[in-house]
């Protein structure tokens, strides 16, 4: 008989109107964990499901041995806030984060991720080799402006150690983008690849992308500096043009002074805005938003 590992494992699964696929996914995950670990739990986050997803999952949970915790969010929160709630409820030494119930990879990859963690990686991302164009573009921009030594990419799920969770939560009580927070934690990360592609699109990804670029990169500051330099160059060109007209032409009375004031004023305005953006970026680095998710109720089911 194969010896089972003694570490306590948590699997946090995000749900939003996933239907019967949610039960099949949780059954697959539970089978992998049950075959390899003595102790594990499933923490399912019900992000305001409006159809029978939770009803089907509840019926399945009463029939299986491992504890099933269902977090019912009081309103729709979106992936990141709902998963933060799930991570707070999880108690495992190692925690799987399943942002989707789309099973586009072979189940044995779940254990491969665990073995990679045992080899010394605190964050293990399981990533498809094929990625949609929009996601690829976002990660290229993000990685180009990020200070992290690790390059983020699209992943199907990830495994994080308790140390990684504690490290990122020590920096902020609320994580607007968990993947970026893990990459910035200074802990070792590794990617596992599989042949496949994520096809299910989640809502709110565009706003999340903007928030992530603002909070975890210097993209906003660089963009503001670029705009400022362009506007200052235009202002300088306008100033030179004004002086040339004054020296060689016959400008309207007061025109030279007016244009001089306007061009210098706009250049100064954009310079001040750049300073303001820099201070705002520093404030964001010093303090994130406070915890913002609301849990309506918690169910614990066990046979």
């Amino acid at each position: 008989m194969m010896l089972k590992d003694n570490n306590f494992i948590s699997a946090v699964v995000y749900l939003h109107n996933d239907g019967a696929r949610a039960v099949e996914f949780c059954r697959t995950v539970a089978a992998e964990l049950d075959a390899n670990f003595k102790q594990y739990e499933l923490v399912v986050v019900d992000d305001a499901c409006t159809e029978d997803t939770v009803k089907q999952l509840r019926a399945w949970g009463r029939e299986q041995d491992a504890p099933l915790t269902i977090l019912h969010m009081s309103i729709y929160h979106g992936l990141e806030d709902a998963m933060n709630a799930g991570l707070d409820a999880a108690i495992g030494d190692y925690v799987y984060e399943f942002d989707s119930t789309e099973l586009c990879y072979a189940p044995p990859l779940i254990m491969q991720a665990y073995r990679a963690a045992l080899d010394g990686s605190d964050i293990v991302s399981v990533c498809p080799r094929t990625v949609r164009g929009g996601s690829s573009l976002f990660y290229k921009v993000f990685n180009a402006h990020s200070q992290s030594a690790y390059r983020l990419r699209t992943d199907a799920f990830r495994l994080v150690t308790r140390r990684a969770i504690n490290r990122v939560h020590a920096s902020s009580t609320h994580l607007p983008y968990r993947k970026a927070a893990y990459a910035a934690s200074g802990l070792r990360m590794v990617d596992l690849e599989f042949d496949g592609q994520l096809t299910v699109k989640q809502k709110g990804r565009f706003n999340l992308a903007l928030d992530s670029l603002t909070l975890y990169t210097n993209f906003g500051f660089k963009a503001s500096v670029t705009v400022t330099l362009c506007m200052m160059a235009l202002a300088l060109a306008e100033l030179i043009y004004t002086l040339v007209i004054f020296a060689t032409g016959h400008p309207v009375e007061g025109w030279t002074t007016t244009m001089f004031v306007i061009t210098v004023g706009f250049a100064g305005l954009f310079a001040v805005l750049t300073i303001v953006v820099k201070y705002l970026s520093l404030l964001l680095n010093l303090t994130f938003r406070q915890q913002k998710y609301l849990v309506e109720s918690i169910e614990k089911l066990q046979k």
Side-chain angles (χ1 to χ4, degrees):
M1 180 181 296
M2 182 182 65
L3 295 178
K4 295 185 178 182
D5 198 289
N6 289 319
N7 284 322
F8 192 96
I9 305 298
S10 295
V12 181
V13 183
Y14 175 77
L15 293 182
H16 181 66
N17 298 338
D18 291 69
R21 187 180 69 181
V23 175
E24 185 60 32
F25 179 84
C26 289
R27 181 182 288 113
T28 300
V29 172
E32 286 294 318
L33 298 181
D34 187 68
N36 294 280
F37 299 101
K38 292 181 179 179
Q39 303 177 88
Y40 67 93
E41 65 170 352
L42 294 179
V43 179
V44 175
V45 185
D46 162 28
D47 193 13
C49 294
T50 57
E51 33 86 289
D52 63 348
T53 297
V54 176
K55 181 180 178 181
Q56 295 184 53
L57 195 63
R58 188 182 291 120
W60 171 79
R62 293 193 179 101
E63 299 174 355
Q64 59 105 34
D65 294 329
L68 171 64
T69 299
I70 304 178
L71 269 66
H72 301 284
M73 309 306 290
S74 57
I75 59 175
Y76 176 75
H77 285 70
L79 173 63
E80 293 299 320
D81 292 334
M83 286 297 286
N84 281 329
L87 290 174
D88 287 344
I91 61 174
D93 304 309
Y94 295 81
V95 180
Y96 286 94
E97 297 182 3
F98 295 101
D99 294 348
S100 169
T101 57
E102 181 181 3
L103 195 63
C104 56
Y105 46 86
L109 274 171
I110 295 174
M111 276 307 297
Q112 289 183 33
Y114 177 70
R115 286 190 286 270
L118 292 182
D119 287 338
S121 296
D122 285 280
I123 303 101
V124 182
S125 295
V126 179
C127 309
R129 288 193 174 93
T130 305
V131 182
R132 292 194 301 266
S135 295
S136 178
L137 176 62
F138 164 73
Y139 286 115
K140 284 181 180 178
V141 174
F142 185 96
N143 292 328
H145 297 88
S146 173
Q147 302 300 315
S148 172
Y150 295 98
R151 306 294 88 183
L152 293 188
R153 54 190 296 190
T154 298
D155 57 4
F157 72 90
R158 73 196 63 86
L159 173 65
V160 295
T161 64
R162 178 56 54 182
R163 180 170 70 161
I165 295 174
N166 292 341
R167 174 75 63 86
V168 297
H169 278 88
S171 63
S172 174
T173 57
H174 176 75
L175 302 178
Y177 189 37
R178 288 164 293 128
K179 287 170 62 173
Y182 292 140
S185 68
L187 299 175
R188 182 180 175 186
M189 296 181 64
V190 69
D191 294 339
L192 301 180
E193 292 186 334
F194 67 91
D195 292 321
Q197 180 180 5
L198 293 173
T199 59
V200 176
K201 296 182 179 180
Q202 296 169 332
K203 296 190 299 183
R205 304 306 289 178
F206 180 75
N207 290 333
L208 176 61
L210 292 180
D211 292 345
S212 304
L213 289 174
T214 301
L215 291 172
Y216 294 103
T217 72
N218 57 4
F219 176 78
F221 177 66
K222 286 184 176 179
S224 67
V225 170
T226 301
V227 172
T228 298
L229 292 176
C230 291
M231 294 306 298
M232 291 183 71
L234 289 174
L236 180 60
E238 183 67 27
L239 179 61
I240 294 173
Y241 174 75
T242 300
L243 294 176
V244 169
I245 292 297
F246 176 76
T248 62
H250 303 282
V252 178
E253 183 178 355
W255 182 83
T256 303
T257 304
T258 301
M259 293 302 298
F260 180 82
V261 172
I262 290 176
T263 53
V264 174
F266 270 106
L269 174 62
F270 279 97
V272 170
L273 288 177
T274 299
I275 296 173
V276 171
V277 171
K278 180 59 177 177
Y279 274 100
L280 289 177
S281 66
L282 290 174
L283 288 175
L284 286 173
N285 287 331
L286 292 174
T287 175
F288 280 161
R289 296 172 292 173
Q290 295 300 309
Q291 185 176 6
K292 57 177 288 187
Y293 63 76
L294 299 171
V295 176
E296 183 182 78
S297 62
I298 297 177
E299 290 184 66
K300 289 187 177 292
L301 305 176
Q302 191 169 9
K303 186 175 179 181

